[in-house]
Amino acid sequence: SAETNYVEVLDEDDQPVADGQLGSLVVTNLTNYVFPFIRYRLGDYVRVSSRQCACGRGEPLLETVEGRHHDLFVSPDGYRTALWGLDRQFKEIEGVRKFQVVQKSLDHIVVKLVKDGPLAQASRDAIEHVIRLGLGDYFRIDFEFHDDIPVERSGKYRYMVCEIDQNVREHDGQQSCTPMG
């Protein structure tokens, strides 16, 4: 609510992004005097809309919520994306009970699987196809098989995990990234 919060959408250099550009959601609460949140990064990536709310109040709108900070994958050219609907698509692949897709580096994806019976080559091919459709052909895809994939300390199950620093930067003309600690 823009009436009770000052909302910013910022790039990695804490500069406002243009309408339609992807940025990090930052909120300052204007009503909590006991425990104020000042420029609190929610961890969400959003796009600001150039449209105004149809209700007539003139409030700013978010065009889309793209995903959590660690749920966005990064291509070698720096493009960030989330694989929307991945959980639904994987549920349709025979032999998969549970999964997690992990980006290890700018060119490496690991698919962790808990099998539900045999996993045919056609199922592996379908998994690779879904990932390449969403992310492109930049990545080497490896499979790991597990007895279980645990939930996070928060109790949430993350089916997409990016293990690289989202601040992909240019270094000597080449893209690089820093592994998260």
Side-chain angles (χ1 to χ4, degrees), residues 67-73 81-83 158 160-162 166:
R68 300 289 295 169
H69 173 78
H70 297 294
D71 295 340
L72 294 177
F73 285 8
T81 189
L83 291 171
R158 290 174 55 204
M160 286 180 48
V161 176
C162 181
Q166 296 291 314

Side-chain angles (χ1 to χ4, degrees), residues 83 86 89-90 93 125-134:
L83 291 171
L86 195 64
Q89 293 175 16
F90 266 66
I93 297 174
D125 293 344
I127 291 167
E128 279 199 44
H129 176 73
V130 165
I131 292 170
R132 294 196 188 287
L133 193 63

Side-chain angles (χ1 to χ4, degrees), residues 152-167:
E152 301 282 314
R153 272 190 355 205
S154 66
K156 293 182 178 181
Y157 171 68
R158 290 174 55 204
Y159 62 87
M160 286 180 48
V161 176
C162 181
E163 291 185 348
I164 62 172
D165 185 347
Q166 296 291 314
N167 296 315

Side-chain angles (χ1 to χ4, degrees), residues 74-92:
V74 184
S75 68
D77 62 3
Y79 182 76
R80 292 174 175 82
T81 189
L83 291 171
W84 294 112
L86 195 64
D87 56 337
R88 181 180 33 79
Q89 293 175 16
F90 266 66
K91 286 178 183 174
E92 296 174 4

Side-chain angles (χ1 to χ4, degrees), residues 104 106 163-169 176-181:
K104 296 287 191 178
L106 285 175
E163 291 185 348
I164 62 172
D165 185 347
Q166 296 291 314
N167 296 315
V168 177
R169 61 193 182 278
S176 63
C177 66
T178 305
M180 296 179 68

Side-chain angles (χ1 to χ4, degrees), residues 43-114:
D44 291 323
Y45 279 95
V46 300
R47 294 182 195 276
V48 178
S49 176
S50 59
R51 298 180 299 119
Q52 293 293 314
C53 183
C55 72
R57 292 172 43 200
E59 302 290 343
L61 297 175
L62 294 179
E63 189 173 299
T64 59
V65 177
E66 296 288 329
R68 300 289 295 169
H69 173 78
H70 297 294
D71 295 340
L72 294 177
F73 285 8
V74 184
S75 68
D77 62 3
Y79 182 76
R80 292 174 175 82
T81 189
L83 291 171
W84 294 112
L86 195 64
D87 56 337
R88 181 180 33 79
Q89 293 175 16
F90 266 66
K91 286 178 183 174
E92 296 174 4
I93 297 174
E94 190 174 329
V96 175
R97 182 166 54 92
K98 199 172 184 182
F99 74 95
Q100 188 175 65
V101 180
V102 182
Q103 183 175 13
K104 296 287 191 178
S105 69
L106 285 175
D107 63 354
H108 186 206
I109 298 285
V110 171
V111 179
K112 296 180 178 182
L113 293 171
V114 176

